[in-house]
Amino acid sequence: MYLKSKVESRIENEIFPYLPGRIKNAAQKLDRQVINQLEEIRLRAGKPVMLVLCGYDVFLHENGRVLQQPSGALTTSAEELAEMVYKTCENSWYAFQEDINKGFITVRGGHRIGLVGTPVIENGRVINIKDISSLNVRIAREITGCGTAAVKHLVRGNRDIYNTLIISPPGVGKTTMLRDIVRIVSDGFPPVFDGLKVGAVDERGELAACYRGIPQNDLGLRTDVIHGIPKKEGMEMLLRGMSPNVIALDELGNPEDVSTVLQVMNGGVRLIATAHGYDAKQLKSRLGFLELFRANAFERFVVLSESEKHFYEIKIMDGDGNVLAVDAQSGRKPVDHNGFNDGGVHAFTKAYRKAGAYQGGSGIFTGTGE
Amino acid sequence: MGLPLGRALLSYSSNKSGEMAKFTKQVSELHIRRDMTIEAAWQKSLEQFRELWPIHREEWTLLMSVGEVLGKTDKAGQSAFIQMMRDKFSVQEKKAEEERARKEKLYKSLGTLGGLALVLVLV
């Protein structure tokens, strides 16, 4: 008898019940190490059931073993995919129509079930998706504490923060980092820093992972979340109604948002946002950032990166590009290396991930793929 | 997001009384608590309530078919289906009304004749 980890319990209780019968039976026999490393379950009509473990694909056998090759793996039928979507929709397809049209359904726990098939278009808009051909179950993972070390470089006194941009390529964990920074800024860490009111605009639903309007992820006790709305409208609503000290945005970059972002900043409200990219220099030339950089809008950059050679790296820079701190095995000595390493981040290289796949290992910081 | 069927039926049963409220409560409970599909919960509940409801075979078949389609299509599909079922039930209602009127007339005549016979016997 062993104690199940939180991740195992969540996956078993929040994901497995939605799976089609045969696949659920096989999944329930999976080794606990596999479950702990599970990031995605990919189901495609007529194709083998694929599991993504720490970034690497394996296939599911009916006895719960994972296979390196698709031969002998369980396959999914189109009927099973339809059954799973129907179950995910609580037997009420019509009630989840808007989510289906967007291509995903968020379930309890913040997990996301992506779906594709044949879209039905009316007046240029998707009004339904029929003949579902693929489902992708993306397991939501919060990494509480991953932003702890970074936050102290982002606060200004005990009641203010710097306008901050978190930059990384897709899948490296910027949304995970943003979520944890928001949580810490919102909760505060007295007596050093009082919590601030944060308004989060969760346009794509990945930051708070709202299920029936309730955030499934912990964004702190002073955070108000508005989800499923374009950033521009979301920011305006928050400014009008919630008087936030800080506004948090995931995936900044739409040129249409620029004027509102500047309006937010000019109004004395701070901003924490994420952006796809490799560094601040690269972003400067992009249309959605050009004006913001000209206005020196960002005072701090948190740059996340990962390479085969180096471990996962977090770099904090000020608005002028001066490096304030670096974590992980990058070779650069951080300003306050010891303190920074206490942030609770457990990050491993892709090579480590590959070697470590289904051999155990803990706390792998992979982000959720966003 | 609309209200899923299980909760919609439960909400209806909480705000209404009568046979239909009892029926919808049972369907929602079987679906939510016992993890049955809406179709299975609808079918099982109908079988239990059949003895309590004076309905014809034709009406029974119609009611069963409601459970087979509820929740399985998009908004437009559900609206069209519900409208179609309403039309079908209206026809059934009309038939039942005609039958009631016919039988009422019959029973009235029988009552008159019975009264007359009683008078004849007693006088």
Side-chain angles (χ1 to χ4, degrees):
Chain A
M1 186 73 184
Y2 65 90
L3 284 175
K4 285 180 182 171
S5 70
K6 190 180 168 191
V7 171
E8 280 175 86
S9 298
R10 285 187 65 190
I11 290 174
E12 286 180 9
N13 296 327
E14 296 166 355
I15 301 283
F16 287 174
Y18 292 113
L19 297 174
R22 290 179 313 125
I23 296 159
K24 181 166 83 176
N25 290 341
Q28 283 170 334
K29 295 175 198 160
L30 280 169
D31 187 281
R32 61 181 298 203
Q33 291 180 336
V34 172
I35 295 177
N36 272 307
Q37 296 182 9
L38 198 55
E39 291 176 353
E40 291 180 355
I41 303 171
R42 305 199 72 119
L43 308 174
R44 299 176 175 99
K47 295 279 185 348
V49 177
M50 186 184 280
L51 309 177
V52 180
L53 309 178
C54 299
Y56 291 88
D57 305 335
V58 292
F59 302 93
L60 178 64
H61 188 271
E62 65 180 344
N63 65 9
R65 279 187 300 122
V66 290
L67 310 169
Q68 296 286 347
Q69 301 301 324
S71 172
L74 269 177
T75 55
T76 328
S77 68
E79 291 74 24
E80 284 174 316
L81 296 183
E83 177 201 322
M84 181 167 165
V85 175
Y86 186 53
K87 210 169 187 178
T88 307
C89 293
E90 300 179 38
N91 289 203
S92 309
W93 185 281
Y94 65 89
F96 289 79
Q97 190 73 65
E98 287 168 22
D99 291 347
I100 290 167
N101 297 350
K102 282 183 201 163
F104 65 87
I105 300 167
T106 303
V107 297
R108 192 184 302 279
H111 314 288
R112 178 177 278 206
I113 298 178
L115 51 94
V116 291
T118 309
V120 181
I121 312 284
E122 190 178 278
N123 299 325
R125 289 185 61 214
V126 177
I127 57 160
N128 197 11
I129 297 177
K130 60 178 189 175
D131 303 330
I132 304 292
S133 56
S134 293
L135 296 177
N136 178 20
V137 183
R138 296 174 68 187
I139 291 145
R141 289 173 190 265
E142 279 180 281
I143 314 262
T144 304
C146 69
T148 307
V151 161
K152 70 179 184 183
H153 298 277
L154 312 181
V155 299
R156 177 159 39 195
N158 67 344
R159 288 284 301 158
D160 197 6
I161 64 161
Y162 293 103
N163 291 315
T164 300
L165 188 64
I166 302 166
I167 305 167
S168 89
V172 177
K174 60 185 168 302
T175 305
T176 308
M177 178 62 74
L178 172 66
R179 189 183 296 132
D180 203 50
I181 289 173
V182 166
R183 180 186 65 79
I184 299 164
V185 168
S186 173
D187 285 346
F189 40 101
V192 178
F193 185 74
D194 299 337
L196 297 174
K197 288 177 288 177
V198 182
V201 185
D202 194 12
E203 183 176 356
R204 302 195 314 155
E206 293 184 344
L207 185 59
C210 288
Y211 174 74
R212 303 207 161 278
I214 313 235
Q216 302 291 295
N217 292 326
D218 182 8
L219 290 183
L221 53 88
R222 294 181 185 85
T223 302
D224 305 301
V225 178
I226 181 163
H227 77 111
I229 184 172
K231 289 176 193 67
K232 183 175 160 56
E233 284 79 7
M235 283 187 278
E236 287 166 355
M237 284 178 74
L238 285 170
L239 285 176
R240 278 197 301 268
M242 304 309 286
S243 67
N245 303 120
V246 178
I247 282 184
L249 305 172
D250 195 15
E251 297 198 5
L252 193 62
N254 185 341
E256 289 174 13
D257 298 335
V258 172
S259 62
T260 315
V261 168
L262 288 171
Q263 186 190 331
V264 164
M265 289 172 167
N266 291 336
V269 176
R270 304 300 178 203
L271 187 86
I272 314 175
T274 66
H276 281 309
Y278 290 87
D279 54 39
K281 199 174 169 185
Q282 183 211 20
L283 285 180
K284 275 181 189 176
S285 55
R286 271 172 41 190
L287 198 57
F289 291 96
L290 200 61
E291 207 174 327
L292 295 173
F293 275 91
R294 270 193 202 138
N296 293 319
F298 299 109
E299 300 159 295
R300 290 288 183 272
F301 297 100
V302 179
V303 183
L304 312 179
S305 59
E306 186 185 41
S307 67
E308 295 284 353
K309 192 176 173 187
H310 295 131
F311 277 15
Y312 185 90
E313 182 185 280
I314 308 172
K315 188 160 62 180
I316 316 280
M317 296 190 297
D318 66 13
D320 299 322
N322 301 310
V323 176
L324 302 178
V326 177
D327 191 25
Q329 306 297 316
S330 64
R332 188 195 293 270
K333 287 292 174 195
V335 173
D336 51 357
H337 183 80
N338 294 330
F340 202 26
N341 266 350
D342 292 338
V345 177
H346 302 279
F348 304 94
T349 59
K350 284 182 182 171
Y352 177 92
R353 286 179 176 190
K354 195 170 187 177
Y358 31 85
Q359 289 171 17
S362 61
I364 293 169
F365 185 104
T366 62
T368 50
E370 56 262 48
Chain B
M1 184 188 285
L3 203 57
L5 277 170
R7 273 174 277 170
L9 294 171
L10 190 62
S11 168
Y12 176 87
S13 68
S14 312
N15 297 316
K16 302 276 182 188
S17 57
E19 288 296 309
M20 194 45 79
K22 285 181 195 166
F23 173 74
T24 53
K25 187 177 182 193
Q26 169 142 339
V27 176
S28 62
E29 283 182 349
L30 288 174
H31 170 59
I32 294 168
R33 294 197 183 152
R34 297 204 195 165
D35 203 24
M36 288 174 81
T37 62
I38 286 288
E39 185 181 349
W42 185 274
Q43 194 173 341
K44 191 176 169 69
S45 303
L46 264 187
E47 277 161 10
Q48 285 178 15
F49 278 76
R50 187 178 191 176
E51 291 171 10
L52 306 172
W53 293 346
I55 51 174
H56 286 168
R57 188 184 181 81
E58 210 173 337
E59 293 159 349
W60 168 259
T61 311
L62 274 182
L63 280 171
M64 289 291 266
S65 64
V66 171
E68 287 167 14
V69 181
L70 270 188
K72 289 188 180 171
T73 58
D74 61 1
K75 278 181 186 170
Q78 291 287 289
S79 297
F81 173 71
I82 289 168
Q83 188 55 51
M84 183 189 76
M85 294 313 286
R86 283 181 70 169
D87 293 344
K88 287 191 173 186
F89 279 116
S90 293
V91 171
Q92 290 301 316
E93 191 183 5
K94 203 174 171 187
K95 274 187 192 173
E97 189 63 35
E98 285 167 3
E99 193 178 343
R100 189 191 63 79
R102 203 179 66 241
K103 284 185 175 167
E104 190 181 23
K105 202 174 170 185
L106 175 70
Y107 288 128
K108 271 185 185 168
S109 303
L110 281 174
T112 310
L113 284 173
L116 189 62
L118 191 66
V119 170
L120 290 173
V121 169
L122 293 175
V123 171

